[in-house]
Amino acid sequence: MAFGEQPAYLRVASDLREQIVNGALPPHTRLPSQARIREQYGVSDTVALEARKVLMAEGLVEGRSGSGTYVRERPVPRRIARSGYRPPSGSSPFRQEQAETGTRGTWESRSEQEDAAPEIAARLGITPGDRVMRTHYVFREGGEPMMLSTSWEPLALTGRTPVMLPEEGPLGGCGVVERMAAIDIVVDNVLEEVGARPGLAEELMALGGVPGHVVMVLERTYFASGRAVETADVVVPADRYRIAYHLSVR
């Protein structure tokens, strides 16, 4: 097989990937052995091994101890809806998204005070080292972990108020807009930036993902009259979910 200028291992990986995508190698099928790949494509053991590594890094195949390498089940991506709409019930964004898709979700959280790191301080417009309340969330859908979130709020705004702890008190579990309104802060703008990167080991472990998988990271910041009142990083497994935005046209 002629491979041209592209590295041989990428051409082999591309051909195997196409077979996986078109169903010629369906889920749970054993990937051709290293020896078989070497013979079929006329390449070295090193090339065959590197091609398999590419497919594993892409999450298309998985190794099973003592058994070989198998094609992974490819999940059908589900949608996470994002919207500027806020119902009068005071629902949090997660509750609103679950209602829109007709599903029932749960979450667990942990809050603690810390000094603002330089990056978080820049996003909040405060001085590095200023105290913030950091809250880490694990969101689940049908018991399956679907999304992680870490939020930071300046304690200069919320400290010693009923909303200092986002998930406790009379407004625990409500959205940022409703909580801030309770202390006379009117949120009037939100910025969301979406990017992608390889998931960190601890993130993928919490989300039930495979090492090397890509995650989408939604960086969200709420503002009140130009002042940041909350910023958060929302982490979503890219192979299982899509982020859909509902934008109003005026």
Side-chain angles (χ1 to χ4, degrees), residues 135-153:
T135 303
H136 178 70
Y137 297 87
V138 178
F139 295 93
R140 303 179 187 277
E141 182 180 77
E144 175 189 344
M146 61 171 290
M147 181 168 63
L148 306 176
S149 177
T150 303
S151 68
W152 296 266
E153 295 179 353

Side-chain angles (χ1 to χ4, degrees), residues 170-189:
L171 291 176
C174 290
V176 174
V177 176
E178 288 71 29
R179 290 177 50 251
M180 292 298 166
I183 56 175
D184 298 322
I185 295 175
V186 179
V187 174
D188 53 21
N189 191 21

Side-chain angles (χ1 to χ4, degrees), residues 67-148:
S67 179
T69 304
Y70 291 79
V71 177
R72 294 184 67 242
E73 186 81 41
R74 300 180 67 205
V76 177
R78 285 171 282 179
R79 189 180 69 173
I80 295 178
R82 306 292 299 173
S83 174
Y85 166 70
R86 291 186 292 107
S89 62
S91 296
S92 69
F94 180 67
R95 285 175 176 164
Q96 180 181 324
E97 292 156 6
Q98 295 285 299
E100 289 182 3
T101 57
T103 55
R104 184 177 180 84
T106 60
W107 70 89
E108 52 202 62
S109 65
R110 181 182 71 255
S111 295
E112 57 188 353
Q113 298 184 32
E114 67 179 20
D115 296 337
E119 178 187 354
I120 299 304
R123 286 162 57 173
L124 289 172
I126 60 178
T127 302
D130 284 356
R131 299 295 282 174
V132 294
M133 182 66 72
R134 177 177 64 83
T135 303
H136 178 70
Y137 297 87
V138 178
F139 295 93
R140 303 179 187 277
E141 182 180 77
E144 175 189 344
M146 61 171 290
M147 181 168 63
L148 306 176

Side-chain angles (χ1 to χ4, degrees), residues 212-229:
H213 266 195
V214 172
V215 295
M216 292 178 286
V217 181
L218 189 154
E219 183 180 301
R220 180 196 67 209
T221 304
Y222 284 97
F223 295 90
S225 299
R227 181 179 185 179
V229 299

Side-chain angles (χ1 to χ4, degrees), residues 11-32 37 40-41 51-63 69-75:
R11 292 293 299 274
V12 173
S14 178
D15 188 70
L16 292 171
R17 184 189 304 112
E18 183 177 350
Q19 293 181 55
I20 292 171
V21 172
N22 67 24
L25 288 172
H28 310 297
T29 298
R30 185 174 180 177
L31 196 71
I37 292 175
Q40 180 177 350
Y41 294 94
R52 289 157 63 92
K53 286 182 178 179
V54 168
L55 298 178
M56 292 189 74
E58 293 176 349
L60 295 174
V61 301
E62 61 184 355
T69 304
Y70 291 79
V71 177
R72 294 184 67 242
E73 186 81 41
R74 300 180 67 205

